[in-house]
Amino acid sequence: MITLINGRGQLGEALKEQIKECETEKNVFIYHTWNVWDKKKDSQKKEFNKFKAFVDKNRNNGRIIFISTYSENDNHYVHYKQKSESYLLLNCEDCLVLRLPSLIGKKGIFQRLKNKECNPYGMIEIMTLHTASKKIMEFINYDGLGKSFTIVGEKISVTTLNELIHLF
């Protein structure tokens, strides 16, 4: 049985579709819930404490897959996501950490570029929601020794991405 923890949002909807098609004999929790909008320390610490409580309660009830990020931003969101990864790896035998790039959707950087709320600069690594959910599901029955994986997307200049967004 696969349980999607929270599962709201664009990735959550894509995962729900993939879960319907996936078969497993394991009890699997996909932890996909986090406040990505409020990056202040108090908010992110609260998310970490919720995750820690979840791990403590479920560490012996099945596999926990934590959906994380490999953003290099120097903020409390990234700090507490990394702290959560470490906590899971140290406190749960059957677990996986999956780090995702920026996902192509109707929120986040894509919406800010579309609304001209930010200036494009640098490079970004992106992935579609469908591809991300499919890649996550590939790990449901994984039985190797590795516990932490970075799912690689496609790198593109944010200036080019901005031009693509404004073509339509």
Side-chain angles (χ1 to χ4, degrees):
M1 182 170 100
I2 302 171
T3 304
L4 181 59
I5 306 304
N6 182 302
R8 291 189 299 256
Q10 297 171 99
L11 181 59
E13 292 303 314
L15 282 168
K16 286 175 189 172
E17 292 303 312
Q18 294 289 328
I19 287 171
K20 290 177 188 175
E21 300 173 17
C22 185
E23 292 183 24
T24 184
E25 293 180 17
K26 292 180 176 242
N27 190 29
V28 179
F29 299 97
I30 300 175
Y31 195 92
H32 169 254
T33 179
W34 205 273
N35 183 345
V36 299
W37 306 114
D38 183 356
K39 296 194 172 44
K40 293 180 190 133
K41 183 177 182 178
D42 290 345
S43 175
Q44 294 305 309
K45 187 174 184 179
K46 180 180 175 184
E47 293 299 319
F48 168 72
N49 287 330
K50 282 191 330 192
F51 179 70
K52 188 176 166 201
F54 176 82
V55 171
D56 292 345
K57 180 180 177 186
N58 293 288
R59 73 173 109 222
N60 297 315
N61 297 331
R63 169 172 285 172
I64 299 174
I65 298 176
F66 178 56
I67 308 304
S68 193
T69 181
Y70 60 93
S71 171
E72 294 179 7
N73 292 331
D74 188 24
N75 59 35
H76 292 291
Y77 170 77
V78 173
H79 171 77
Y80 280 103
K81 278 281 197 161
Q82 291 175 349
K83 195 170 179 175
S84 296
E85 291 176 16
S86 297
Y87 188 82
L88 178 64
L89 293 169
L90 290 170
N91 292 283
C92 181
E93 186 66 30
D94 191 4
C95 68
L96 295 172
V97 171
L98 303 179
R99 290 184 203 95
L100 300 176
S102 295
L103 300 177
I104 300 170
K106 296 178 181 178
K107 298 179 181 178
I109 185 65
F110 297 91
Q111 192 64 37
R112 290 196 317 269
L113 286 168
K114 183 177 179 183
N115 294 340
K116 299 181 181 180
E117 296 170 1
C118 63
N119 294 318
Y121 69 92
M123 298 293 289
I124 189 170
E125 195 162 330
I126 59 175
M127 178 178 285
T128 67
L129 293 162
H130 177 75
T131 300
S133 63
K134 207 169 165 186
K135 295 280 188 186
I136 291 166
M137 299 312 291
E138 289 174 8
F139 283 93
I140 294 297
N141 293 306
Y142 168 81
D143 64 355
L145 297 175
K147 298 291 182 193
S148 180
F149 300 90
T150 298
I151 300 174
V152 178
E154 299 176 51
K155 290 184 181 180
I156 185 171
S157 152
V158 181
T159 302
T160 302
L161 178 62
N162 189 51
E163 288 181 28
L164 287 171
I165 288 170
H166 289 98
L167 280 176
F168 304 103

